[in-house]
């Protein structure tokens, strides 16, 4: 893929003119981009460095330049702003020439990447479809039909694929001072609802921006601690049972009401998940060996993370279009009651969880 080409080098123009230029990165507000952070952090998340007009500075230096470029674009800045972005490892300086470290894809690049990811998903889906169909049946047989959507998306596509070194983890992508991983931006968002997965130890929760029911984090953490103690079996701490009462996680006696996945157990569900994840991630890595260079992404690990995050949405849309899974009402923002919170939660018990007890 060609390097990002901006009009900024062609003439000296005020920021307003660039902001009005269609499909230009420079002058486009942060809120209009589709930003993703696949990262872990100790004190500051990468997005926390985007104070004041720091995003404008990063967009300006997608094509390297000196501070004179900021002056020509009428972008205000201070030395402390530039230094802060360097501390956050979002900006680099080489003898006074600044360049943006995070990948910010322009309109044409974003469109091209999404065409490529869709083509990839269309080609890999027939290969994995029979096993996904069997997996969905296995979920139903286990009594998890109410959580099928979250198990296919959050457990298989958004969690299992990252295990056992299949795809890189944040720690594999370098240390950036206060965070590790990858932070990037696509020019605009997909039409699909923003959806993701939160983890509280072994307890996982699927979410969307439309979700109207959120249990307090301290309650989820307390629940997760008890789950770790019992390895997904009935919990006995009455205070915790009372704290999560009505949220669809346990009954009044502490019996777990959400799916318990035993990763690495070699049961039917685990065997299918491993086989699907292996085929999918092997194909992603093979594709990215050339794709990363074409997209001017220096690290294949970073490229695999970015590309898979696009493929994941395409696979989700295929699954929904075929009627194999359907988003539960609670994720759509419908007023179904907090008891359906359990429809989007599940537990993952692994050897690592066992050793952490």
């Amino acid at each position: 893929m060609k390097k990002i080409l901006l009009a900024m080098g062609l003439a000296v123009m005020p920021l307003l003119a660039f902001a009005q230029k269609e499909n230009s990165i420079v002058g486009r507000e942060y809120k209009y981009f589709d930003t993703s952070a696949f990262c872990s952090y100790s004190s500051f998340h990468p997005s926390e460095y985007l104070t004041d007009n720091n995003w404008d500075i990063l967009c300006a230096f997608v094509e390297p330049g000196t501070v004179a470029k900021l002056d020509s674009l009428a972008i205000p800045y201070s030395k402390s702003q530039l230094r802060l972005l360097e501390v956050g490892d979002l900006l680099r300086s080489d003898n006074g020439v600044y360049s943006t470290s995070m990948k910010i894809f322009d309109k044409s690049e974003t469109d091209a990447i999404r065409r490529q990811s869709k083509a990839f998903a269309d080609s890999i889906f027939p290969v994995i479809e029979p096993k996904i169909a069997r997996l969905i049946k296995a979920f139903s047989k286990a009594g998890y039909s109410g959580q099928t959507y979250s198990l296919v998306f959050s457990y298989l596509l958004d969690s299992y694929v990252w295990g056992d070194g299949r795809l890189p983890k944040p720690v594999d992508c370098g240390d950036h001072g206060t965070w590790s991983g990858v932070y990037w931006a696509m020019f605009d968002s997909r039409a699909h609802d923003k959806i993701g997965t939160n983890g509280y130890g072994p307890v996982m929760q699927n979410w969307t921006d439309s979700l109207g029911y959120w249990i307090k984090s301290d309650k989820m953490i307390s629940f997760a601690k008890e789950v770790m103690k019992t390895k997904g079996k009935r919990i006995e701490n009455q205070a915790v049972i009372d704290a999560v009462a009505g949220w669809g996680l346990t009954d009044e006696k502490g019996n777990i009401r959400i799916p318990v996945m035993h990763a690495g157990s070699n049961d039917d569900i685990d065997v299918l998940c491993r086989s699907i994840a292996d085929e999918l991630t092997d194909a992603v890595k093979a594709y990215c060996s050339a794709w990363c260079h074409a997209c001017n992404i220096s690290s294949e690990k970073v490229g695999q993370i970015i590309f898979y995050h696009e493929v994941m949405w395409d696979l989700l849309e295929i699954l929904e279009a075929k009627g194999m899974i359907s988003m539960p009402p609670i994720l759509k923002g419908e007023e179904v009651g907090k008891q359906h919170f359990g429809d989007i939660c599940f537990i993952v018990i692994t050897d690592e969880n066992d050793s952490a007890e």
Side-chain angles (χ1 to χ4, degrees):
M1 181 173 298
K2 295 180 180 179
K3 298 175 76 174
I4 298 173
L5 298 176
L6 298 177
M8 65 178 75
L10 300 180
V12 176
M13 302 173 67
L15 177 61
L16 180 60
F18 281 94
Q20 293 175 336
K21 186 174 179 60
E22 186 179 6
N23 298 337
S24 173
I25 287 178
V26 178
R28 184 176 175 81
E29 292 183 58
Y30 176 79
K31 65 181 180 181
Y32 295 122
F33 287 85
D34 184 10
T35 54
S36 300
F38 184 74
C39 69
S40 58
Y41 60 100
S42 56
S43 54
F44 292 101
H45 187 278
S47 65
E48 294 183 83
Y49 292 98
L50 301 182
T51 59
D52 304 314
N53 68 322
N54 283 357
W55 181 251
D56 295 331
I57 295 173
L58 290 180
C59 287
F61 287 132
V62 165
E63 286 294 325
T66 66
V67 292
K69 173 176 281 188
L70 300 180
D71 294 329
S72 71
L73 297 172
I75 297 178
Y77 67 92
S78 66
K79 290 183 179 179
S80 60
Q81 281 180 281
L82 299 176
R83 181 59 57 85
L84 179 65
L85 290 171
E86 288 185 77
V87 169
D89 207 13
L90 301 179
L91 187 69
R92 293 176 184 154
S93 175
D94 182 12
N95 294 321
V97 176
Y98 291 92
S99 59
T100 303
S101 301
M102 72 176 289
K103 289 297 297 185
I104 304 176
F105 296 97
D106 68 13
K107 173 66 173 174
S108 62
E109 289 180 311
T110 297
D111 290 346
I113 289 171
R114 287 176 175 165
R115 285 194 300 270
Q116 293 158 358
S117 68
K118 185 181 185 306
F120 177 91
D122 287 341
S123 66
I124 192 65
F125 188 78
V127 178
I128 61 177
E129 181 178 11
K131 292 178 182 177
I132 292 181
R134 287 164 53 195
L135 178 63
I136 291 172
K137 288 183 180 179
F139 287 147
S140 179
K141 183 179 179 180
Y144 303 151
S145 57
Q147 291 91 359
T148 295
Y149 184 92
S150 295
L151 289 174
V152 171
F153 174 76
S154 285
Y155 182 54
L156 175 63
L157 298 180
D158 199 25
S159 298
Y160 205 101
V161 296
W162 304 103
D164 295 331
R166 293 183 184 89
L167 290 176
K169 295 181 179 180
V171 69
D172 299 323
C173 297
D175 177 67
H176 304 289
T178 64
W179 62 282
S180 61
V182 188
Y183 185 44
W184 74 97
M186 293 292 178
F187 189 81
D188 47 25
S189 298
R190 286 173 171 261
H192 199 284
D193 292 326
K194 195 74 173 179
I195 182 171
T197 308
N198 284 346
Y200 303 86
V203 181
M204 312 300 288
Q205 177 217 328
N206 193 187
W207 59 265
T208 65
D209 283 344
S210 300
L211 182 63
Y213 300 92
W214 292 89
I215 190 172
K216 291 183 177 178
S217 295
D218 59 343
K219 293 183 178 181
M220 284 293 278
I221 293 171
S222 296
F223 175 63
K225 288 180 178 178
E226 293 302 312
V227 168
M228 290 181 71
K229 292 178 183 178
T230 66
K231 298 181 177 62
K233 297 179 180 178
R234 186 175 74 89
I235 63 175
E236 300 179 356
N237 188 321
Q238 191 61 47
V240 174
I241 296 172
D242 294 341
V244 301
W247 286 91
L249 302 176
T250 73
D251 64 15
E252 65 278 2
K253 296 181 180 180
N255 295 304
I256 302 296
R257 296 183 59 187
I258 59 177
V260 180
M261 301 290 101
H262 292 277
S265 66
N266 287 321
D267 61 16
D268 290 344
I269 289 175
D270 188 62
V271 168
L272 284 167
C273 285
R274 182 167 60 250
S275 179
I276 295 166
D278 285 347
E279 283 189 290
L280 179 55
T281 56
D282 284 349
V284 167
K285 286 185 285 190
Y287 186 90
C288 285
S289 62
W291 181 83
C292 294
H293 299 296
C295 291
N296 196 29
I297 299 174
S298 59
S299 165
E300 284 193 24
K301 291 180 179 179
V302 171
Q304 290 166 12
I305 289 171
I306 293 174
F307 186 68
Y308 177 71
H309 273 83
E310 293 297 324
V311 169
M312 181 171 65
W313 305 125
D314 291 313
L315 290 174
L316 182 61
E317 290 181 357
I318 293 173
L319 287 162
E320 290 176 311
K322 284 181 168 285
M324 297 178 73
I325 60 174
S326 178
M327 183 181 285
I330 188 172
L331 286 179
K332 298 177 183 178
E334 296 182 16
E335 297 293 331
V336 293
K338 69 178 186 180
Q339 69 272 17
H340 285 279
F341 188 74
D343 294 348
I344 57 173
C345 294
F346 56 92
I347 293 166
V348 181
I349 301 298
T350 64
D351 292 338
E352 183 179 348
N353 292 144
D354 295 342
S355 64
E357 182 182 0

